[in-house]
Amino acid sequence: MLRGLGTGSYDPKGVPSALIGKPVPDFTLPPLEGADLPALSAADLRGGDRPVLVNFFASWCVPCVIEHPQLMRLAQQGVPVFGVAYKDKPADAQGFLRKHGTPYAKLAADQPGRVAIDWGLYGVPETYLIDRQGIIRWRWAGPLTEDTLTQELLPLLKRYA
């Protein structure tokens, strides 16, 4: 990674996740204060009727703004999107969602960042596809784009539906 940063060839999307093909880590997070959405835990990601996305974001994250329309689109299409506000102040995260919309069916706060460490988070935004059995099937480090949705995520959502 350091060599890649020095040469300009570092690609955070190219960093593999050790969790692909494994169950989501056990966790329980509180709801984002004042957001009026349910909290999130590992139990919410197991035994569902369809795959879900878990999106780590922060109000201070510029790439999070770039990807937000894609998350809104997915939510409008009926894809369950669960959010984790990473190391963010509740009021700031709420302001971000008021300004850009709320794609999240559940929204939790990971202010200390401990759950993010367990997930192997490199930074925000980062999005994970979880199948119906609670297995992590895909990870995207960086903002979701139209190309990412079309070429990678939408085919995976169909595959794991």
Side-chain angles (χ1 to χ4, degrees):
M1 179 176 96
L2 292 175
R3 186 176 303 123
L5 286 170
T7 64
S9 64
Y10 173 67
D11 178 10
K13 294 170 197 62
V15 179
S17 171
L19 295 178
I20 301 297
K22 296 183 180 172
V24 296
D26 283 328
F27 73 96
T28 300
L29 286 171
L32 180 69
E33 183 182 314
D36 199 30
L37 287 169
L40 184 61
S41 72
D44 297 320
L45 305 175
R46 298 182 188 122
D49 60 350
R50 57 185 153 176
V52 300
L53 296 177
V54 175
N55 174 254
F56 288 81
F57 78 100
S59 64
W60 43 263
C61 164
V62 173
C64 294
V65 175
I66 294 168
E67 83 168 356
H68 209 75
Q70 306 310 324
L71 295 172
M72 293 295 291
R73 176 179 153 201
L74 288 165
Q76 290 167 353
Q77 292 174 349
V79 176
V81 181
F82 300 154
V84 178
Y86 172 73
K87 292 189 174 186
D88 210 350
K89 296 176 183 170
D92 293 345
Q94 290 171 34
F96 178 91
L97 296 173
R98 271 193 304 277
K99 182 176 181 178
H100 301 289
T102 303
Y104 305 116
K106 294 182 181 235
L107 180 57
D110 186 14
Q111 286 182 308
R114 180 69 204 148
V115 168
I117 290 170
D118 293 342
W119 281 67
L121 194 79
Y122 284 93
V124 286
E126 207 160 296
T127 304
Y128 296 80
L129 173 65
I130 315 302
D131 74 11
R132 294 180 288 164
Q133 289 75 41
I135 305 297
I136 297 173
R137 296 298 178 183
W138 180 80
R139 170 192 156 266
W140 189 259
L144 294 174
T145 64
E146 181 68 33
D147 286 344
T148 308
L149 290 185
T150 304
Q151 296 171 12
E152 297 201 33
L153 184 55
L154 293 177
L156 287 171
L157 284 167
K158 288 179 186 174
R159 178 178 174 189
Y160 291 106

